[in-house]
Amino acid sequence: MFQAKINVTLKKSVFDPQGKTVLDALHSLGFGEAEDVRVGKYFKMTLKAKDKAAAEKEVKAICDKLLINPVIEEYQFQLAPLESDQ
Amino acid sequence: MKACVVVFPGSNCDHDCWHVMHDVMRLPVEYVWHKQNALPKVDLVILPGGFSYGDYLRTGAIARFSPIMQDVVRHANSGRAVIGICNGFQILLESGLLPGAMLRNDSLRFICKHIYLKAVNRSSIFTKNIAANQVLNIPIAHGEGNYFCDADTLKCLEQEDRIAFQYVSESGQVNMDANPNGSAANIAGILNEKKNVLGMMPHPERASEAILNSKDGRVIWESLAAALN
Amino acid sequence: MTNMLQETPITKEIIQAHGMTQEEYERVCQILGRTPNLTELGIYSVMWSEHCSYKNSKPVLKLFPTEGKNLLVKAGEENAGCVDIGDGLAIVFKIESHNHPSAVEPFQGAATGVGGIIRDIFTMGARPILSMNSLRFGSLDQSQTKHYLRGVVGGIAHYGNCIGIPTIGGEIYFDDYYEGNPLVNAFCLGLIRHDELTKGKASGVGNSVYYVGATTGRDGLGGASFASKELSEASHEDRPAVQVGDPFMEKLLLEACLELVKTDAIVGMQDMGAAGLTCSTCETAARGSVGVEIDLVKVPRRETGMVPYEIMLSESQERMLVIVKKGKEEIVEHLFEKWDLHAKKIGEVKDGQQMRVLDNGKVVADIPAKSLTDEAPLYQRDSSRPVYLDEAQKLDLQSIPEPKDHNEVLLKLLDSPSIASKRWIYEQYDHMVRTDTIFLPGHDAALARIKDTKKGIAISTDCNALYGYLDPYEGGKIAVAEAARNVAASGARPLAITNCLNFGNPMKPEIFWQFRESVKGMSEACRAFNTPVTGGNVSFYNESPKGAIYPTPTVGMVGVIDDVDKRVPSFFQKAGDLIYLLGETKEELGGTQYLLTVHGKRKGLTPRLDLNRETALVKLMIAMAEKRAVQSCHDISDGGFAVAIAECLFGKRHHPLGAEIKNLDWAKGLRSDSALFGESQSRAIVSIALNQKEDFESLARSFKVPFTQIGRVTEKELLIGDWIRLPSAKLETVYEQAIPRRMSK
C-alpha cells in the first residue's frame, strides 16, 4: 500500500482570485511580509500498487484523467509506502 | 426539431429546459438519464445547468465520464447540434468538445442576475435569428463562469468567429463594467470549430417567457428550430 | 468500549450534563420501571429537550389558532403544515431556526439549516419549489457581523443553489441586539398533489424500516441539546457539534424520495433531523401507535468504534427513515440504486408500542415510544413584565428636534443596511432556477407561479423586532399584519402562517413574558385575517454574554393568487400615473427606524395596529388586483412614507422613476418627521393609470379605506412638498451601495 499526497494548484499563468483575496486579507491584517498566495487543493489517497514505480504511474494517470484540468491546473505529489492496514 | 435533455445526478435546470421546449416552443422533447449508453434519435442535445455530482472536484469534471457522454461526443462529432448551458457548458469544456476552462468568478461569489449579451457570431444555427446590434437581456447564475483560455486559443476563437456571445453593457458596449465574472474577452459563450456545439453561461431557458421578466432568450430556440427543421 | 459505556452508572453529574433535572430523571425511571442505561438517558434527554418537546413553550403555543377549512395537515401533526389550494393541489411549508449552529460556524450552520427545512418538506412527499430566509445580525459596521453575513449568505447559497431550489426572498435586519447571536430562520415551501401526501408514521406489523442517505458519523452529536443551551464563550469549543451539509446527497435523496412517493411501496417516511435516528424512530412509532425495532449493526457509518449512544444521537445530515410495505422492499432498493443511494433495512414494525434498539441482536434501549413524544414534561414558566419597558416606552417628542434637512435624513435611512437594497445578498442566491419566479427579489412579497395552472403563491417573511422589544404584544400583531399586507399587496389572498419564535432564555420570567405576549398578539392578528398557524418552531436561549436578543417572532405568511396575470408589482410603472396614499398617518415615531438611525433611540410606544382597519386594507388590496384597478401597490413600513415612496421608484436598476408629491393635506398637524418617517400601520402607496381613477376610488370607498391622491409619477426626481427634493439616481445609488460599500471595507 502507498499513500499519495497530491497538491493541485492553478498554473502560474492563471489568475487565482482566491489567492489574491487571501493575500489582500493578510496585508490588511498586518502580515506585510506575505508576497504571494496561491490557493490549491490537497488530496490524500491510499492505493494498492506492487512497487513505487507502479504507484507513481497510477497516481499520474489519476491526476491527468480526473483530478486536474490541464488547461488551468498543475500538480505535484509525494509517495510513501504505508504499513498494510490493520 | 426534436430535442433531449440529459439528466445528470445534480442537474437542476433539466426541468426548465424541458419546459421551454415542450410548453413554450411546443417542440418534442424527452429526458435522457446519464447512465444510458445511447441518445435517442434527436436533432438537439441539451446539457442543462446544475451541479452535476455536486461539482465538488471541478464543475463538470465527473459528469464527462457518465456513460451517455460518449454518445454525446459522437453526436457532436457527426455535426449534430449540442447546447450546454451553465453547468452544461462546463461539462463541454471538461470533455474537450470546447476549448478552455472555467475559473471561479473574480468576485469569488455566486452571481445570479440579469445581464446583457450580444451575439458576436450571427451565422451559427444557434444565433442566426439574432439581429445585428441586438442586445439580449438574459440571467446568469453561477459561481464558476470566469472563462479562461490561453492567448493562442483566444486568437483562434476570434479568427474563426467562434465567440458566440459576449457580456455587454445595456447599450451593447464590451467593457469591464459589463463583465460579471472576469471572463477573458467578456466571453459568455463559444462554439466549436464546426459551430454545431455551443456552450454558454447565461440561461436562455430562464428568459423565454414575458412573465419571467424577459423573453430575449427565445431567439436562440427560434434560431435552432428554424435551422434544424 | 460498548460494554464500558453501557455499564456507565448514571450519576447526578451525568444527568446534569444531559441537561435533565432530577425530577425529569425520576420520571424516566418511573416510565421504564427501572433506571435507564446511558443510551436511553441520551435518548430521553434529546427528545425531552426544548428543541424536540417544546416543553416550555407548548402551553403558550396553544393560544395560536390552528383550525381552518383548507388545512390538510394541522400544526404539530407532521413535519410541516399542508394547505389545500384547489385543483387537487396543496402546499406544504415551514420556517425553522438554525441560530446556534450558525453562530458557531456561519457557513455550515446556515447551509444545514436550509438542508433541514428542505427535508421537512419532501419528507411529506411534496416537491420543494422555493425557499426564503429571515436573518438578523449585529451592526454591519462590526467586522464580526461581516464575517457572519458572508458565511451565512454563502452557506444558504451553497446549499440552495446546488440543490436547485430558488431562494426567492426574505428579510434581514441589522441591530446591536443581535451581536454575537445571529438569527438564521429558513423557510421552504413545496407543492404536492393531495393523493401524494406522505405521513411520517409507521404502520403494518412486519413492514420494513429502511435507512437511506448519508452515512452516520459523530457530527452534530447532541445537537438538539446543544440548541437548547445559552451560547457562551465555551460554545466556540463545541465546534464538533456542527454538522456539515452535502447538498448533492440531498438532491439525490429528494429526487429518489419523490419518485418513491409515486410508487405504492411505502407507508411512511421521516427525515432524520435534530436527534437523528432517535427522533425519526420514536416519532414514526408514536404517530402510528405501533412498535419499531431497529438493529444498529446495520446502520451505515463513516467512523469506526461508534457506540449505540453515538449512533442514536448523531445528527449527520441527509438521512431518511422509510417504512416500506412488506414484500415491496425490492422496488425501494432498486429505486434508490438508480440514484446511487443505498437503502439499508435496519428494522421492522412490531406489535406493541415500544421503540426497541438492538446492537447486533442485544437490546440497548427499550422505551415506550409515546413516552418520548406525547408524554414529554410540560412546564408553566413564570412570567413577569420586564422592568426595562416603562423606561423604554417613554418618549418625549419635545426632546427630539425636527430635522432641518429632510433630504439628509432620507438618504441616511436609505443607507441604513436594514432598509437598503439587499441585492448584495440575493444575487448570491439562485433565485430563478425552476423558472417560476415571477417577482424578482425586492417586491413586498415573493411570487412564484404554478406551472400548468393560472395560480401563483405569494410569501412574505416579516418581523419588526424593535417593535417586539418595545411592546411584544403589539409587535407580534404587527409581524402578522405586515406579512398579510405584503402578501395582499401583490394581489394574493393570505392563507396561513408558519412562524419561528426566537427568544432569550425562557427560565427568565421577563423573557417568558415577552414570549407569551408576542404569541398573544400574533394569535389575535391570525384570527382577524383568518390565517391559522400551521407550524414552525421555537428557538430559545438566544442570548450572548451581552444579553438577550429582541423578541423576534418571525412570520412566514403564505397566500395564493388565482390568476397570476392579475399580480400587482410594488414599483411604479410609468411616468404620468397617479399616486395615492391609503390609510391614515398619525404622530407615531416610537420604535421607528428614524428614531434608531438618526437619533440613536430605541424608545417610545410602537405604532398602534387597528385590526379592523388592517383587514379592510388587506381586502381592498386583493380586490384592487382582482379588478385590475391599480398599477402598483407598496406597503409602508420601516422608514415610513418617504422611504416607501423612494422604494417605489426602484423598479428597474439604473432607471429609477421619479415622483412629485404636492398634496400634503394628509400630513396636516403632524410634525414633519412623523409625516415623512413615522411608521403608522395599515398604510400603502398605490399608483394608478389615469383611466383607473374611478374604479380605484370607488373600490377604496366601498372597503372604507381612507385614500388621498397625493401626486404623480415622474421621470427623474423625488419631490415631497418643500421637504424633499433629490435626484432619483442619487437615491438609488445610496440605496444600492449601503451594503456593498460596508462589505468591501
Side-chain angles (χ1 to χ4, degrees), chain C residues 721-733:
Chain C
D722 298 329
W723 289 325
I724 303 269
R725 182 175 203 143
L726 283 164
S728 304
K730 166 95 178 162
L731 293 165
E732 190 197 39
T733 305

Side-chain angles (χ1 to χ4, degrees), chain B residues 127-142:
Chain B
T127 55
K128 255 183 196 161
N129 288 20
I130 303 175
N133 303 321
Q134 189 175 352
V135 174
L136 306 177
N137 184 214
I138 295 181
I140 54 167
H142 58 247

Side-chain angles (χ1 to χ4, degrees), chain B residues 21-215:
Chain B
M21 283 292 130
H22 186 263
D23 300 325
V24 180
M25 298 302 294
R26 311 243 171 230
L27 291 168
V29 57
E30 62 182 291
Y31 290 116
V32 178
W33 182 237
H34 74 114
K35 284 182 187 169
Q36 279 175 229
N37 289 313
L39 289 167
K41 214 172 130 36
V42 291
D43 307 297
L44 172 69
V45 173
I46 303 176
L47 303 182
F51 287 71
S52 54
Y53 295 93
D55 282 346
Y56 293 137
L57 179 60
R58 283 186 316 281
T59 54
I62 297 178
R64 68 174 266 228
F65 294 111
S66 276
I68 195 69
M69 281 309 291
Q70 287 188 7
D71 208 31
V72 172
V73 171
R74 268 195 296 274
H75 177 96
N77 288 341
S78 72
R80 283 171 292 166
V82 178
I83 181 170
I85 300 164
C86 199
N87 192 230
F89 185 9
Q90 294 159 343
I91 295 168
L92 290 173
L93 294 171
E94 283 283 340
S95 64
L97 282 170
L98 292 172
M102 284 297 173
L103 297 170
R104 287 187 68 178
N105 295 345
D106 58 2
S107 67
L108 298 183
R109 292 193 297 271
F110 188 97
I111 304 170
C112 176
K113 66 173 184 180
H114 281 83
I115 48 82
Y116 295 100
L117 286 182
K118 79 165 185 188
V120 181
N121 172 312
R122 290 194 301 106
S123 58
S124 76
I125 51 173
F126 306 95
T127 55
K128 255 183 196 161
N129 288 20
I130 303 175
N133 303 321
Q134 189 175 352
V135 174
L136 306 177
N137 184 214
I138 295 181
I140 54 167
H142 58 247
E144 298 188 26
N146 180 352
Y147 180 76
F148 172 86
C149 63
D150 59 40
D152 291 345
T153 308
L154 184 58
K155 210 166 158 191
C156 170
L157 289 174
E158 281 165 355
Q159 280 170 355
E160 295 175 7
D161 195 20
R162 288 167 56 192
I163 298 178
F165 299 106
Q166 276 179 311
Y167 299 109
V168 294
S169 68
E170 192 178 350
S171 59
Q173 305 305 308
V174 178
N175 57 41
M176 274 317 287
D177 285 346
N179 188 335
N181 51 27
S183 284
N186 280 36
I187 284 175
I190 55 169
L191 296 156
N192 65 343
E193 274 171 64
K194 289 190 205 158
K195 303 193 175 72
N196 61 313
V197 177
L198 168 68
M200 65 187 294
M201 289 313 292
H203 288 271
E205 80 280 13
R206 296 186 183 187
S208 294
E209 299 162 83
I211 197 170
L212 299 178
N213 303 291
S214 166
K215 50 178 189 175

Side-chain angles (χ1 to χ4, degrees), chain C residues 417-719:
Chain C
S418 294
I419 289 177
S421 167
K422 309 302 185 294
R423 190 180 302 273
W424 187 91
I425 295 159
Y426 66 70
E427 281 188 352
Q428 294 185 57
Y429 303 146
D430 188 340
H431 49 265
M432 300 183 225
V433 63
R434 297 192 57 82
T435 59
D436 292 327
T437 310
I438 296 176
F439 280 170
L440 297 173
H443 286 264
D444 286 9
L447 181 66
R449 68 172 167 183
I450 299 175
K451 289 193 185 97
D452 301 324
T453 74
K454 294 290 283 177
K455 287 189 165 74
I457 303 290
I459 310 113
S460 180
T461 54
D462 288 285
C463 177
N464 184 324
L466 177 52
Y467 293 174
Y469 169 74
L470 292 171
D471 185 342
Y473 175 79
E474 205 68 14
K477 243 165 77 183
I478 292 175
V480 174
E482 189 183 342
R485 200 186 309 145
N486 281 329
V487 163
S490 72
R493 267 178 294 121
L495 282 183
I497 76 161
T498 173
N499 58 52
C500 197
L501 307 171
N502 308 275
F503 289 82
N505 180 350
M507 304 302 187
K508 297 179 184 167
E510 300 197 337
I511 299 283
F512 200 75
W513 187 88
Q514 291 178 333
F515 173 65
R516 210 185 53 203
E517 289 300 303
S518 299
V519 170
K520 273 193 199 161
M522 295 168 83
S523 301
E524 195 189 330
C526 283
R527 286 200 178 85
F529 297 112
N530 201 10
T531 51
V533 176
T534 64
N537 92 319
V538 178
S539 171
F540 283 136
Y541 304 97
N542 291 290
E543 301 200 9
S544 67
K546 287 191 180 167
I549 58 161
Y550 287 154
T552 313
T554 306
V555 172
M557 175 73 74
V558 177
V560 72
I561 182 166
D562 291 322
D563 181 353
V564 285
D565 290 336
K566 292 182 176 174
R567 68 192 179 275
V568 178
S570 305
F571 307 105
F572 293 151
Q573 298 297 300
K574 65 175 202 303
D577 285 352
L578 303 177
I579 303 172
Y580 281 75
L581 172 66
L582 291 178
E584 261 187 300
T585 308
K586 299 174 206 149
E587 196 95 275
E588 292 185 304
L589 282 177
T592 58
Q593 289 293 310
Y594 161 71
L595 267 198
L596 178 64
T597 308
V598 177
H599 299 280
K601 289 190 192 312
R602 297 176 172 84
K603 278 181 84 70
L605 272 182
T606 69
R608 301 288 102 182
L609 180 81
D610 177 335
L611 282 168
N612 289 325
R613 282 181 179 276
E614 188 71 48
T615 45
L617 177 69
V618 162
K619 285 180 182 154
L620 168 63
M621 286 169 160
I622 299 164
M624 287 177 339
E626 176 57 35
K627 300 253 189 301
R628 298 183 197 260
V630 295
Q631 295 296 309
S632 73
C633 179
H634 178 39
D635 95 303
I636 298 177
S637 58
D638 306 84
F641 174 81
V643 165
I645 282 276
E647 286 168 344
C648 287
L649 310 178
F650 305 144
K652 193 171 178 223
R653 182 85 168 100
H654 300 304
H655 300 278
L657 286 163
E660 186 181 76
I661 310 298
K662 286 201 163 157
N663 177 3
L664 294 174
D665 291 351
W666 54 276
K668 261 193 195 128
L670 296 178
R671 287 166 57 113
S672 60
D673 46 4
S674 290
L676 290 174
F677 311 115
E679 297 176 7
S680 289
Q681 295 295 299
S682 314
R683 294 186 300 160
I685 292 165
V686 161
S687 73
I688 64 166
L690 297 177
N691 63 9
Q692 289 173 312
K693 191 173 161 72
E694 235 169 86
D695 283 353
F696 164 74
E697 290 191 356
S698 77
L699 262 185
R701 233 173 262 126
S702 72
F703 283 91
K704 300 195 171 59
V705 173
F707 63 92
T708 320
Q709 188 186 325
I710 55 172
R712 60 189 185 87
V713 181
T714 59
E715 274 171 355
K716 287 193 159 82
E717 192 178 55
L718 176 62
L719 207 121

Side-chain angles (χ1 to χ4, degrees), chain C residues 17-169:
Chain C
H18 281 81
M20 280 184 118
T21 63
Q22 194 60 32
E23 298 80 69
E24 286 173 345
Y25 176 71
E26 276 157 22
R27 190 144 161 208
V28 170
C29 296
Q30 207 183 355
I31 290 168
L32 295 177
R34 59 179 167 83
T35 55
N37 61 32
L38 188 64
T39 303
E40 291 171 326
L41 185 73
I43 289 172
Y44 273 103
S45 80
V46 291
M47 288 310 296
W48 285 7
S49 70
E50 172 60 32
H51 191 81
C52 291
S53 73
Y54 297 99
K55 60 185 169 190
N56 296 306
S57 52
K58 226 178 211 169
V60 173
L61 299 178
K62 285 193 178 128
L63 296 170
F64 281 138
T66 54
E67 301 286 335
K69 64 178 187 337
N70 300 322
L71 298 191
L72 301 181
V73 174
K74 284 188 284 189
E77 291 179 348
E78 289 287 339
N79 290 283
C82 181
V83 181
D84 180 23
I85 57 164
D87 295 341
L89 294 171
I91 47 176
V92 174
F93 58 91
K94 190 178 177 186
I95 189 165
E96 202 165 79
S97 63
H98 229 219
N99 304 336
H100 301 278
S102 303
V104 177
E105 166 51 49
F107 186 96
Q108 290 298 343
T112 50
V114 172
I117 194 70
I118 291 171
R119 274 196 304 285
D120 273 335
I121 302 306
F122 75 76
T123 291
M124 295 183 60
R127 174 167 289 279
I129 59 167
L130 59 91
S131 291
M132 312 255 294
N133 54 70
S134 169
L135 311 176
R136 298 289 182 280
F137 298 97
S139 160
L140 195 52
D141 295 315
Q142 300 286 332
S143 64
Q144 189 199 30
T145 302
K146 292 177 202 179
H147 165 72
Y148 278 141
L149 181 67
R150 248 183 228 112
V152 166
V153 171
I156 293 171
H158 166 66
Y159 211 103
N161 297 355
C162 182
I163 201 166
I165 298 165
T167 305
I168 68 173

Side-chain angles (χ1 to χ4, degrees), chain A residues 42-83:
Chain A
Y42 174 66
F43 300 83
K44 200 158 86 179
M45 183 188 298
T46 48
L47 70 160
K48 280 195 206 117
K50 66 178 193 309
D51 55 33
K52 195 165 177 186
E56 201 168 303
K57 201 174 153 205
E58 185 75 3
V59 171
K60 273 188 180 157
I62 287 169
C63 287
D64 292 336
K65 176 128 191 185
L66 181 66
L67 297 192
I68 75 141
N69 179 341
V71 178
I72 45 172
E73 292 169 322
E74 56 195 8
Y75 64 93
Q76 291 171 318
F77 64 89
Q78 294 167 312
L79 260 180
L82 260 190
E83 298 300 312

